[in-house]
Amino acid sequence: MKIEKVHSGIRYTLSNEGLKVGDRVFPIAMGRCLEDGGWILNSFDFRGSITGFPNDPHTILDLDYDNGRQGKAYQVRTDRGYSPIECYYKITKTEEYTKIKDGGLGGRYEWIERKKDKTDGRN
């Protein structure tokens, strides 16, 4: 699933699709696991003190970790702990709301994709 979040004037596109070991992710999805291995999403939480979003991502270390707790391979271990894979999202795109001069009075604003850098959590 892909979602967007505007934070401090920057629009972040995040996805939980195709996560792999080494990805820099944020545990922003809050929900609960079902006995059959399913997942119910309750909400998203972007508080940096909990999730590290957007400047302090977690790094995926293992995609098949459950420490004997559930007997299911849906636990993801990061450098900060573990949770179901459904909790984790990585930044796939960042955009800034930028003024474009188009010859008219005042110009117009558009979302312009930022160049990738190592500080915004993208891989």
Side-chain angles (χ1 to χ4, degrees):
M1 178 166 59
K2 291 184 179 180
I3 62 170
E4 289 182 347
K5 171 69 174 171
V6 176
H7 177 76
S8 297
I10 298 171
R11 180 166 63 186
Y12 295 89
T13 302
L14 299 104
S15 174
N16 65 352
E17 299 167 355
L19 296 179
K20 61 189 182 306
V21 172
D23 280 351
R24 294 161 36 122
V25 295
F26 303 93
I28 58 172
M30 304 299 152
R32 65 181 176 93
C33 296
L34 302 174
E35 288 184 18
D36 65 1
W39 169 262
I40 295 177
L41 173 67
N42 292 329
S43 63
F44 289 100
D45 185 347
F46 290 92
R47 289 180 287 176
S49 61
I50 296 171
T51 67
F53 182 81
N55 298 316
D56 192 17
H58 302 210
T59 302
I60 294 178
L61 303 176
D62 189 356
L63 288 171
D64 189 14
Y65 175 82
D66 74 357
N67 200 22
R69 297 174 191 270
Q70 302 289 332
K72 301 172 188 170
Y74 63 79
Q75 298 288 341
V76 173
R77 183 170 59 97
T78 71
D79 56 344
R80 309 248 181 101
Y82 63 92
S83 289
I85 195 166
E86 292 87 353
C87 292
Y88 293 102
Y89 281 72
K90 65 182 176 181
I91 295 173
T92 58
K93 182 167 64 169
T94 57
E95 300 167 289
E96 287 184 293
Y97 204 52
T98 306
K99 187 173 187 175
I100 306 295
K101 295 199 177 209
D102 60 3
L105 292 175
R108 59 187 165 82
Y109 286 86
E110 288 184 5
W111 288 104
I112 305 295
E113 187 168 1
R114 297 174 69 194
K115 294 182 183 193
K116 290 185 179 184
D117 64 32
K118 298 296 180 188
T119 61
D120 67 6
R122 288 186 291 175
N123 298 306

